[in-house]
Every structure is written in structure tokens, then in C-alpha cells.
Amino acid sequence: MAGERRVGNLPEETDCLVGRRTELAQAARLCARSRLVTVSGVGGVGKTRLARRVAAGLQPQFADGAWWVELSPLSDGSGLAYALAEALALADQTTRPMLEVVAEYLAGREVLLVWDTCEHLIEDCRQSAATLLTVAPGLRILTTSRRPLGLHLEEVLDLDPLPVPAPETDGGGSGHRASGDEPADALVLLAGRIAQAVPGFTVTDANRPELAALCRRLEGLPLALELAAARLRDMPAAELNKRLDDRYAILGNTETEDCAADPPWHQALRTAIGWSHELCTPAERLAWARLSVFAGTFDAESASRVLADERLPAREVPHLLSSLVRDSILQWVPSAAGERYRMLDTLRDYGAFWLRGLGEEGMLRRRHRDYYLARAQAADAAWIGPEQLTYYEQTVADHANLRAALDYCLAERDGHSALELAGALWFLWYACGFPHEGRHYLDRALALDTAPGPARAKAQWTCGQTAINLGDTETSLRLGAAFRAAVAGEADESAVFAAAYLEGAALAVHGRPAQAAQALDAVPHTPPNDGRYDAAWFLLQATRAFVHVLTGQFTDALAVAEELCTECARRGETWMRAWGDYLRALAALKLGRAAQAAAHARTALDGKRRLHDSVGMAMSLDVLACAYVTCGHAELAARTLSIGEQVWHTLGTPQMGSPELVAARTACEQQARRLIGSGPYEAAFDAGYGTDLNTGITEALTAPDTFPAASAHPDPTA
């Protein structure tokens, strides 16, 4: 039975949304009549939470899903297009500008994009939205921002704080008052958050007046109420109200001019944050300030390495993280990469303000850069090994911080560090599906620091890889020659293999297999000793096997691919092993061993699934379908093609636009239709396409009970 498809990547709700029925209905109406809607309001008013709920309600109306794009980790607007591509899981393999790739993908689709936190990238968001909405008639964009984007077609929903309880003695004052028998939404939110912090807590006649007064004092602003709720674990509401009264008096004396233009709830938020800051211990305040340098999420080890020094001992950091989570300054975020933390933008801004006041901003950003450089280098050194999957999950989780570190290097014109970091991240750009973003950073780093040396050589090699991935043969050959010259005479044996791979792969992609074979065969088949280019031999062997397929040497291709898989298995490596199995499948199919080809294709698919390698999964599914139809499993081939089609549609261009891959897929489909007829083929294909992708891949990994005798088969490489 087909599983229910979940199209999109909307984050799960971690807390229930209190109230907002009117705003939800209004947002839905605006989204129905306008293609660009912005939920606007001050920090802490609940824009993100409302947008998430709105998008979840609208998702069924969009055939191609609702997709969440988190922009708060970006410090440079040039990263917007890459963030969009990352959210949509696009892995386009051309040199086109990434925004053009995103636009082409969206052009024929019905999609809702949610851009969360746009205010620091207003101009870039405005221009990108205008471009995408022009070329994609089925696109809707919902944004959250402290100020509108400013496009003529934009509809704006100004989000106010939650209604607060009406005073018992007077009806004056500011803010939204609630009346009647139903409790005010602000009080509902406050009571709910207190109950989370204090098990067994309930609102009573005795505590209701002070809680209501607290809601009014904080003007119903959700973030302010949540900060207050965390503190009510340690003190009664009456004392908290008194402390807030005192802080208002201080603000009135010292910040009158600054606050005059702000709405009252903005002052309420500043009061709540400042008061929460005052209640922190000196160590907690310092940790809060220093944690503001992180983008996105981070783990405890990263926090300890970046924060700790003689002022803040490393042994104290885990306790400080727990304390800041308890006080709602940090959010605890479980993930595939383990326990992680994040800070809301408004609280991060406050911490950054204090960090600048302490004179530590430059020092902490350098520590952040150095730590993530070391982390990238460790992953690079261990990538071809048993910890590859762990490093993959860690690096993907760290992506926002790695991007922030690169942006810092480039902003500070620290070209050497930018070269080191961008070069060490070759596996993120190449193996994990971010070649466009890698090329973006590598080009800038290479232009910034032109001094010869190991860092520049590694960056040239890495940039050459991304060029191959993007089909830019001219650049890959140019960088290959520059890299060969840069490493000439080096004692590092792996550098020779790296140079041969770069040249051979570029020639193979360019359709010059004979010259590619000559370049690849200039180095031995046996792996070199460990070096700075540990992955080079594995990449070279995969390319060598592929060239043998292109030149009709199928037995040689199978032998080289098996040699590659054997060495990968010895190392406990997954990524290159999966490519080796894919090549074994191609060669076996060419040799008429369809059942063997299917087994290799399933093994390749499993490896690529574990690394979330969409390109590898799609290619493995296509060759698996070819093996199935060769054996007469036409319905199974149709279903497998449909699962592959789902993956290809997340990548932008089906079969990457490769004539060979397109021809192989077409031949497979035609053979399946001949075997069972167009009607049954369409039924099997539709059933597969209607299946949840994860369910479909799991089914594809299950071998059929029998394999009929082989028949004429499509050529998977044409």
C-alpha cells in the first residue's frame, strides 16, 4: 500500500500555538489572494510560530509542497540563493547562477516557500522574490520580517502581541485587552509555560491577579512572557512584578530618548530581556554574549571550545548551557547529529550587543573560525574511513557555522584561512551535494589570496572538483594544470594521484575517454601512502572504471570497480564504496549479468541513502530499473523509475540533463511498456510516484523473489 507523501520540509511544532485564530484566518486569506505575504512585527511577537502554522495549513493546496528556508544564520545576502537551493535539495550540475537554477526548478511547480527572518537581508530578499515570482506563476512566498520587503504586490500582516487580561479597576493603559469569561491568550501562554517549568502549577484565585498584572506589564509579548515564565520557577509573581517595575523606572530614566519611537511592547521586550540578563550569574551573562557568535545550531563540544578560557573554564560550560536552556535563553534541539542548541535571533542580537560592549567580538569570531577550520580539517583527514557517516552528519549540522566562518574570513580579507577552510571542505561541496556553494566560496578565496603554498593548492584541487561536478570542463582542466604545477616535486605521494584524477575526470566528462584513460593510467593502481589528498586514489579508481565503461571495456571496468569496493570495505568507507557498487552494476549489466547488476545497484542505493546523496540515489535507481526490465520485471522497473523520478525532481533537472542518462531512462521505459502495455505501465508508475519517497526507497532495496531469464536490455549509458 502506498504511503502518504509528505511534500516539503516544514519544521515540526515543538510548542502549541496559543490563540491567534483571527491572525491565522487573516493570513490564509492574504495568501489566497496574494503571491507574496509578509508577517511583520517586532522581535519576539511570534512571527515564526504563526508562519509555521499557516504554512502547515496551506501545504495540502500545493502539489509540490511547502518548503521552509531559515535565513537567520546568513550574514551575507549572497548566500540567499544557496539557502534556497539547500532547502529545496537542489543539486544542479551546471555553472548557471544558483538563483537561475532555483527559478527554473520552480517555474513549472506549485510551491509555497516560507522565508523566515528576512529583516537583515531585505534588499536581497526583495530582488530574489521579484525574480522568482516573475518566472514561477505557481509560486507563493510567505515571509517573516521585522519590516516588509517593499514589493508592490506584497500583502503585510502586522502581528500584534497577545491580548492581555483587562484590569479589574480600570480600562486604561496600552496593549490589547481581553474581556469576558475566556482567559486572555497572554495569560494562557504564561500559565502553560510556567506549568512546563513548575510541574503541577495551576492558575488560582490567589495568583491570578499578579499573573494578569505580569501579562499587562509585558504587553502580551510572547517571548517576554516565556522569559518571565522561566524565572517564576525561582520566585513568586509578586516579586517578579516588583523587579520589572524597578527596571521600567531605570529604563525611563536612562533610555527615554531611545525608547520614545518604539511601541510599548518593544520596551517591554527590552525590559524582559534586560531583567532576565540581570538575573543571570556573571558566568551565564558571559556565556550568553559569547554564544552569539554561533549561527544556526551548535553542540556542547563546540560551545566549550569556542567559549572557554581563563574567564570561563571549560568544565563550567555544560552547566551553563543547561542553565541557559532552563531560563529560555537557549533552545535544546535534538537532531541526527546528537544534542544541539540554538538561540533565538532576538536573544542572539542582545548577546552580540553585550559582546561588542565587552570588546570581545573580534576575539570570539576568530576562535569560532579557528574551531570550525580544525573541525573541517579533522573531517577531511578521516573522510575515507569508518567514521565517515558520523562526520557527514556533523558537517551537515555545522553547515550554517561553517558558512559563517567562511563569510567572516572573506569579510576580514583573511584569504589564507578562507583557502584552508574552503579547501578542507571539499567533501561538503563534492560528496554532500553543494558544488555551487563551494565554487562561490572557492573562487572568492582564490582571488583574495594568490600566494603559492599548500593551502592554495588544496583549494585549487577542490575548486577543480566542483568545476567537474558543474560540467565546467574548461575551468577544471585549467585548475588541474595549475594544481599539477603547484604540487610538482612534493613528497606527498597522494598529490600525484590527485592531479591525475582531476585531469582524467575532466577529460572523461568532456567526452574524451581515450585521453582520460591515458592521464589516469599515468599513476599506479595501488593506493599511495596517506597524504593530504587521501580520497584521490578512490576518486581516480571510480573514474577509471567509468572510462572503461565508456570505451566498451566492461570486464576491466568490473575489475577496477571491485578493486575499489574491496579497498573501501577494508577502510570501512561508505561514499566511494557506493559509487563502486554503482559502477559494478553498470559493468555487470553490460556483460549481461542483470541479476548481479540489480544486487550491486541495491547496495549502491543503500550506501547513497545513508549519506542522503540524492544524485547517487537517483542514478542507482535508474540503473536498478534497467536491470529489472532486462530480467522481465517490467512492473517493478516502472515502479523503480517512478521512485527515481521523485528524487530527480528534487534535483532540478532530471538525469542532470545528460543525454546518456536520459537515453538510458527512455530505453528502459520503452522496454517496460512493450512488455506489459502502456496501461499497466502507467498504473505501476503512478503507484510508485504516489508512495512516500522513504517508503519507496525501502521497497526498492528489497530484492524480488525470482529473476526470469534475461532478454534484450536497454543500455544504461547509451
Side-chain angles (χ1 to χ4, degrees), residues 197-222:
V198 184
F201 171 85
T202 59
V203 178
T204 66
D205 290 340
N207 62 23
R208 184 179 288 107
E210 289 290 351
L211 295 175
L214 182 58
C215 291
R216 291 192 295 272
R217 184 162 280 105
L218 295 178
E219 298 293 344
L221 197 69

Side-chain angles (χ1 to χ4, degrees), residues 252-269:
N253 292 330
T254 62
E255 300 183 21
T256 304
E257 183 177 345
D258 180 54
C259 298
D262 290 338
W265 53 80
H266 201 171
Q267 179 174 329
L269 179 61

Side-chain angles (χ1 to χ4, degrees), residues 204-288:
T204 66
D205 290 340
N207 62 23
R208 184 179 288 107
E210 289 290 351
L211 295 175
L214 182 58
C215 291
R216 291 192 295 272
R217 184 162 280 105
L218 295 178
E219 298 293 344
L221 197 69
L223 177 56
L225 293 169
E226 292 181 1
L227 291 172
R231 292 298 181 179
L232 285 172
R233 178 182 50 248
D234 303 319
M235 67 181 69
E239 182 180 348
L240 193 152
N241 271 317
K242 183 178 183 304
R243 293 198 181 197
L244 286 176
D245 276 339
D246 293 341
R247 182 158 181 83
Y248 264 121
I250 294 172
L251 279 174
N253 292 330
T254 62
E255 300 183 21
T256 304
E257 183 177 345
D258 180 54
C259 298
D262 290 338
W265 53 80
H266 201 171
Q267 179 174 329
L269 179 61
R270 182 164 41 247
T271 300
I273 295 177
W275 164 79
S276 188
H277 187 261
E278 289 173 5
L279 291 180
C280 287
T281 66
E284 289 170 347
R285 293 177 199 165
L286 184 57
W288 181 349

Side-chain angles (χ1 to χ4, degrees), residues 15 50 58 150 174 186 190 223 226 231 238 361 386 425 462 467 492 553 582 636 638 666 669 678 680 696 707:
D15 290 308
L50 182 84
L58 294 174
S174 58
L190 179 63
L223 177 56
E226 292 181 1
R231 292 298 181 179
E361 183 178 20
L425 287 172
T462 303
D492 184 347
Q553 299 171 306
Y582 170 77
L636 190 54
T666 301
E669 177 182 339
S678 290
F707 267 92

Side-chain angles (χ1 to χ4, degrees), residues 452-635:
R456 181 172 177 80
K458 182 66 173 280
Q460 287 174 321
W461 184 72
T462 303
C463 196
Q465 282 185 309
T466 65
I468 291 171
N469 216 343
L470 298 174
D472 185 358
T473 306
E474 181 180 344
T475 297
S476 59
L477 288 172
R478 175 177 57 80
L479 287 170
F483 173 75
R484 185 181 291 278
V487 299
E490 274 199 14
D492 184 347
E493 293 180 17
S494 68
V496 177
F497 286 80
Y501 155 70
L502 206 55
E503 182 181 356
L507 290 167
V509 170
H510 195 244
R512 295 152 66 181
Q515 290 176 271
Q518 185 177 1
L520 296 168
D521 289 337
V523 294
H525 280 246
T526 55
N529 295 322
D530 290 343
R532 297 181 68 242
Y533 303 90
D534 192 35
W537 180 85
F538 297 84
L539 292 164
L540 187 147
Q541 286 293 93
T543 307
R544 186 178 268 150
F546 185 65
V547 168
H548 282 319
V549 171
L550 292 178
T551 55
Q553 299 171 306
F554 307 128
T555 302
D556 290 339
L558 187 60
V560 173
E562 288 178 342
E563 182 183 6
L564 170 62
C565 289
T566 299
E567 184 62 20
C568 288
R570 189 182 72 81
R571 297 274 197 111
E573 195 274 348
T574 301
W575 174 61
M576 285 305 309
R577 165 67 191 268
W579 280 126
D581 283 314
Y582 170 77
L583 291 161
R584 291 166 85 183
L586 280 182
L589 193 56
K590 293 284 192 177
L591 291 168
R593 306 169 189 172
Q596 186 183 90
H600 290 321
R602 286 192 296 271
T603 304
L605 176 61
D606 185 49
K608 293 304 182 184
R609 176 182 61 88
R610 295 170 69 192
L611 284 160
H612 307 283
D613 182 345
S614 296
V615 172
M617 287 192 292
M619 293 176 69
S620 298
L621 284 162
D622 280 359
V623 75
L624 179 60
C626 289
Y628 283 155
V629 79
T630 298
C631 293
H633 282 291
E635 287 189 15

